[in-house]
Amino acid sequence: MADQIVITEKSSQAKDVRAAVGSRYGDILPAEGHLLDLLEPEDVVPDWKRWSPILLRPEGLYGTRPAEGGNKAAKLKAIREALRTAKRVWLATDCDREGQLIGQEILEHYEYRGQVMRVLFTAQDSQTIRDAFGRAKPNAEYARLYAAAVARRQADQIYNLSLTRTATVILGQGARRVIGVGRVKTPTLAIVCKRELEIRNFVPIAYFEVVATAKVAAGQFQMRHAPQERIVRREIAQDIANAVEGFEGALAVRVEDKRQGPPKLHDLPSLQKLCSSRFGWPASKTLEVAQELYDGQGKKIITYPRAEVRYLPQSLISDVPKIVSGLQVGQSFSTIPVPEPPVIRKGPSGAFYDKGLEGASHHAVIPNVNTIGKLPEVWPRLSSDEKKLFDVIARAYLAALMPDFRYRQTTATLDVRGFEFRASGRQPIDLGWRAAFPDWQPPDEKGDEAQLLPPLRNGEIAQLQEPKIEDKETRPPPRYNEGTLIEAMQNAWRFVNDEVLRERLKEAKGIGTPATRAEIISGLKRQGFLMAQGKHIVPTETGLSLFGVLKQADPALVDPGVTAQLECLLDDVVVGKQEMVGAIDAVCDVALRIIGKLKEGAPAGGPPLLGAAVGNGSGSYPPTPAMKRFADSFARQRGIKPPAGYKTSISICRKFLNEHVPKKANGETAGTLATKPVSPAQLSYAKTIAQGKGVVIPDEAKASSAAMSAWIDSNRGAKRRKRSRKTGNKLAESIAPQSTAPTKRSGKRKADTNAAASTPAQANSLAGTPLRIPYGNKDVALKLGARYGSAGWYAPPGVDLSAFGERGWL
């Protein structure tokens, strides 16, 4: 048997190492990811087999056992046999925290006591691997990296299993499936659900801007009046437009020469965000394509893709000439004017910054210096997606070595009787790094900012003509796509209100890790909590239901800020600011507090708080008003107390009626509407709702007209909109002048024949009923007879208001 062995993370890695170093360092044995799993709670404490709301923390740490599936057993056996005679082990697993754990946990499991060397490489070509073995260090120097990985794994097992069991036992009594709670998964769901509720409850507000053509000696250009306090009354905008016509005045012109450095190099999250917006790729696809460029057979043209920082070590400055010349051989990059010598930027605003790599196990993603010479022969073998991603990585690298983008920023303002009109333009002086992205235009250079201004002098006279009033409308925040969702996970500090804590969390890496975030999103999709809607990620109704229940039970369960704090502690283990056990203690303390709050809020002997809402989707909506009135009337007549939850769950209400209300001769429940079949119109409307929301109409809803009405009422969101009306009103009143506030509604309204003499806002109030139409319902509102004016949505006289009332839009 060999007296030394090499352990790699996977078979492809073993093949690359074998090609690079042969058997110089002994037999090369691949793992298959984690070959060991943590023990289950009941394996440690038999009483934990029965689910109960307790913290599942053992004395010490959870032990490990051989993992099942794939070829894991055979690979683990081969390593175990080799360890019996090996005097030295070379750990050549991935260079990140998880790679450290995958290799070292095997040695810990079998209590190996020989010499262990750690081999770290960020590319998988032969030269890089040979160099990595040449500079291998004793594995003891990476004890903190291993401790951080152990802390994360142990803490996640305790937190996730403890709270999943607690939530299932307390919140989902009788539910048909487990209510899964994850330290990272649940806050990720919350990020998407909060945004969806913001959008659904958003009430747009109309406002106006005034644009005019300014004429000067050298030409003409557009000037705009867009005050910070928006103009919400058209008559005010019209007054400004009237004042503008023919106005002449002296321009205040400010001209500044500015410069802008290149964007940072890419880490995995920035690649996922860019590829999601540019190519519509899911986050998992970006990682998959990057992985193929990194270790694919005959490729290996980029460095390690699971990067978590956007800097390079200064030691890689010496590779710059070779990478640049290798890239510029190809037609795609030969026209990019990288200067000779290239511009080397160091420090936090540059590409090479050693301090920016502290606590990270690998650097930004760049072309592989050792395979760059083979790019012409590799390129034809790449798929179109692989070419796209390599192009993104290569251009970012070249741009980082090019001069600053220099431009002249011109800003002109004109005071028109107290109203400021403004124009700005940007004229390039030297494209610099922007030449690497010829088709790219930043968002701040679109629209008015993109116009080319004629030469302007401070104090010269400009004449304004052709004023126009532009109708604008506030818009809700955009839905997430996978790229922006990963960015939100990475920047979880934005969800924290405490200023001191926000600053602390800015230093952290958010929630999850670059390697796990895509899988977390995919897992939420598989569980039916999130779904794709075009390029966007939206919650399902089941996901929204789970979010609502967990938030009500304890907001910490769904708070990304809380999870980010815990991630901070785990990250601190790597740099020695925190001990492994201390980090696990902190996570357990949070879990224990949440368990206590869930137990305090548990309904004594009542129905589940979540119940079937996390089951098959049936029974999670309220009964119809008729069913609820009948249940109330029957309970009063018989002196029976209805069960808790009968007002919010059609299943509970129906069960109560079935148990107590006498049956007719044919077996039907007397006095209920349950026997009326679903009408074709009901079914058609329900299908429209289901298609729009990406949900399935449960069979129970199709059983009767009453059940279908209840399902429709619940899923079209009328109650939620009613709750949001006060918020919407306050928002509108805080922005609009007092005179535009809606007047009290009366049964009938008479149009004011002198409406033309009053303001448009007053005309709308006097001539119709004000409405609150949530964003996204424009087409439905118009079909129902609503109209939109300067004061917002309103129903003209004679329009039936019942449909608006049913939807909570009055």
Side-chain angles (χ1 to χ4, degrees), residues 7-9 13 91-95 99-100 102-103 118-119 121:
I7 299 177
T8 67
E9 189 162 324
Q13 210 171 46
L91 285 185
T93 48
D94 279 355
C95 60
Q100 185 71 29
I102 285 170
R118 185 65 166 113
V119 182
F121 44 84

Side-chain angles (χ1 to χ4, degrees), residues 553-565:
D554 188 347
L557 278 167
V558 295
D559 187 348
V562 170
T563 300
Q565 293 176 58

Side-chain angles (χ1 to χ4, degrees), residues 1-5 27 79-88 112:
M1 297 288 287
D3 63 352
Q4 60 179 356
I5 63 170
D27 291 341
I79 295 173
R80 181 191 67 199
E81 295 299 321
L83 287 175
R84 289 177 177 172
T85 59
K87 296 178 181 178
R88 178 184 295 160
Y112 179 76

Side-chain angles (χ1 to χ4, degrees), residues 607-608 623 627 631 634 642-644 646 649-661 663 669 700:
M627 185 183 290
F634 180 81
Y646 82 103
S649 170
I650 192 171
S651 295
I652 296 173
C653 190
R654 179 177 288 108
K655 183 180 179 183
F656 168 69
L657 294 174
N658 288 341
E659 288 177 354
H660 296 283
V661 177
K663 300 287 192 284
T669 302
E700 185 178 354

Side-chain angles (χ1 to χ4, degrees), residues 204 771-788 793-796 799-800 803-804 807 809:
L771 299 171
R772 287 287 167 191
I773 309 296
Y775 181 80
N777 292 276
K778 177 180 177 181
D779 292 340
V780 175
L782 291 172
K783 286 180 181 177
L784 293 174
R787 294 294 177 266
Y788 194 76
W793 287 98
Y794 68 98
V799 171
D800 183 6
F804 301 109
R807 291 168 169 78
W809 294 351

